[in-house]
Amino acid sequence: MTDKKVIAVVFGGRSVEHDVSILTGLQFIEALDPTLYDGVPLYVDPLGQWWTGDALKSRKNYPVSVQDAGLVQVTLDLAAPAAARPRLGFQKKSLLAEKTQFIEFDLMVPAIHGSNGEDGTLQGLLEFAGIPYAGCRTLGAAATMNKQFAKAVARREGLNVLPELTVTKPKKGQFIDPGELSKELQAALGDAPFPVIAKPSNLGSSVGVSKADDMDSLVASLMAIFRLDGSAIVEPFVQNLVEYNVAVRRNPAQQIETSAIERPLSKTDVLDFKNKYLAGGAPGGPKLDTGPSEGMASLNRVLNPEDLTPEQEAQMRDTSTRLFDALSLAGSVRIDFLCNSETGEIWFNEANTIPGSFAYFLWEAAPTPLSFLSLTSDMIAEGFRLSSDRLGATDAASGGATIFSQR
């Protein structure tokens, strides 16, 4: 009999960040404390089907072949008794019949980036089913995925953010009116708005981001974004652009703390998805053949850059700490900033509730270093605590809302 907890890590998903999510999920499993936890990989394919099997733990098997890898298709049991452990159901065939069997687990770790994983939808499903899970709750996940809403919260907190124009996808059969867009752009960003940055309102970090130098290129950028999302944000392009990122979490002592600060390096004006996740911007996809201390951590970056002034560092740490509370966040969250390297001005850009690799490499280089193993253990413990805190009576009598007579 073992006292180890079974941790189901779900990754992949119906998301444009499907491939990067695989790396994040596998790294989390690799970093689990083997004396405390057993990791179960849960792969969600691009069609939304859930699979498990030992072959999923090996990066060399991706892109995965379901038949060749001998995977088992599973479904999340949403009707398990409240007192029972969460479980995954699958069909096992015998000579006489087909029988449903179950894989029990104790907590789920969402590692799906972007749509359907980082936006509160998966978290809401787990809340509905009463399944303990790690990371942000439904509110925090949904609030940060919507970039406009997150910026509005930052403004309310008195934090520095860029102005923006939100552009909604035209209805079917309609088109973007450049003249009307120009008026709206000038009203939001000023008489000479270009160059600008256009990005999806509700997708993950750096997905679909592009720079536009004139109206024609902006319209083209927006049409590309509308293939991915129903709305877009247009912001001024920051001259002399430098980006900074910092991770933030609540430690076991219930204190909010921040990690090392990183400055990603890019050879282009915009740190888009290719520059951020594909090594050197080269084709071929994320580096899935690296060890647990590499992967997305091997992106060209400078940790704890010396060019930051004490005032800039303090601003980013203060902003991250305040947003962690204001947006009701949990887990290991990464806060991204934009900076004009000539003027030194810094703006909050966006928050990522499931950052690549859970930003563990930023914690390893933090003022008080934290190993990936310790980070995963802390996230799991926090997940159990937050899930337990939410539990309450759900019967109608307890709420004084009984209408039908009880038999």
Side-chain angles (χ1 to χ4, degrees), residues 203-375:
L203 292 185
S205 171
S206 303
V207 174
V209 178
S210 61
K211 179 185 177 185
D213 294 311
D214 52 40
M215 183 56 66
D216 287 343
S217 58
L218 175 58
V219 171
S221 295
L222 291 174
M223 295 309 297
I225 289 171
F226 292 149
R227 294 174 56 195
L228 304 172
D229 195 4
S231 68
I233 285 180
V234 182
E235 299 173 330
F237 174 73
V238 175
Q239 300 295 333
N240 312 301
L241 177 63
V242 178
E243 297 194 33
Y244 295 101
N245 306 324
V246 61
V248 58
R249 71 173 194 139
R250 193 181 300 277
N251 64 25
Q254 299 302 297
Q255 299 170 327
I256 298 177
E257 62 182 16
T258 54
S259 72
I261 295 175
E262 67 167 339
R263 185 182 74 219
L265 302 178
S266 173
K267 296 180 181 179
T268 61
D269 287 338
V270 180
L271 189 68
D272 60 11
F273 184 85
K274 181 178 289 186
N275 282 291
K276 182 171 286 188
Y277 292 122
L278 307 188
K287 295 174 66 178
L288 298 181
D289 57 348
T290 55
S293 62
E294 298 182 29
M296 278 170 279
S298 66
L299 167 72
N300 290 331
R301 56 168 51 85
V302 176
L303 292 174
N304 296 316
E306 295 181 356
D307 60 324
L308 277 178
T309 67
E311 292 76 18
Q312 289 174 318
E313 180 177 347
Q315 177 186 343
M316 286 190 282
R317 295 192 186 280
D318 176 68
T319 296
S320 300
T321 299
R322 290 168 63 182
L323 285 175
F324 195 85
D325 261 344
L327 290 168
S328 188
L329 304 181
S332 176
V333 176
R334 195 188 72 229
I335 309 294
D336 297 352
F337 296 89
L338 306 173
C339 175
N340 184 321
S341 61
E342 292 296 318
T343 66
E345 191 170 8
I346 291 176
W347 299 266
F348 161 66
N349 184 29
E350 61 188 32
N352 300 277
T353 56
I354 305 178
S357 303
F358 289 99
Y360 76 86
F361 47 91
L362 295 179
W363 292 112
E364 289 182 336
T368 302
L370 181 75
S371 70
F372 199 3
L373 182 144
S374 295
L375 177 63

Side-chain angles (χ1 to χ4, degrees), residues 41-165:
L42 283 179
Y43 170 62
V44 182
D45 68 24
L47 298 178
Q49 301 171 110
W50 292 45
W51 304 87
T52 192
D54 286 340
L56 291 171
K57 294 182 180 181
S58 178
R59 298 167 188 165
K60 67 181 181 181
N61 291 330
Y62 294 89
V64 68
S65 169
V66 173
Q67 288 75 24
D68 294 344
L71 304 183
V72 175
Q73 186 171 1
V74 296
T75 56
L76 188 62
D77 187 358
L78 302 181
R85 294 171 73 195
R87 60 190 188 181
L88 301 155
F90 65 96
Q91 300 299 313
K92 187 170 184 179
K93 297 180 181 179
S94 66
L95 293 176
L96 300 178
E98 189 174 76
K99 184 178 181 181
T100 301
Q101 295 195 351
F102 297 97
I103 301 170
E104 293 186 332
F105 63 96
D106 297 289
L107 177 135
M108 184 172 290
V109 177
I112 296 178
H113 299 306
S115 307
N116 304 309
E118 201 172 355
D119 56 5
T121 53
L122 176 57
Q123 291 80 1
L125 175 66
L126 298 175
E127 294 274 6
F128 181 80
I131 295 173
Y133 64 97
C136 280
R137 306 295 96 177
T138 307
L139 174 61
T144 52
M145 178 59 76
N146 186 303
K147 296 178 177 65
Q148 183 186 33
F149 184 86
K151 289 179 66 174
V153 171
R155 282 195 186 95
R156 186 195 67 190
E157 294 292 311
L159 303 173
N160 204 26
V161 294
L162 291 169
E164 82 278 346
L165 171 68

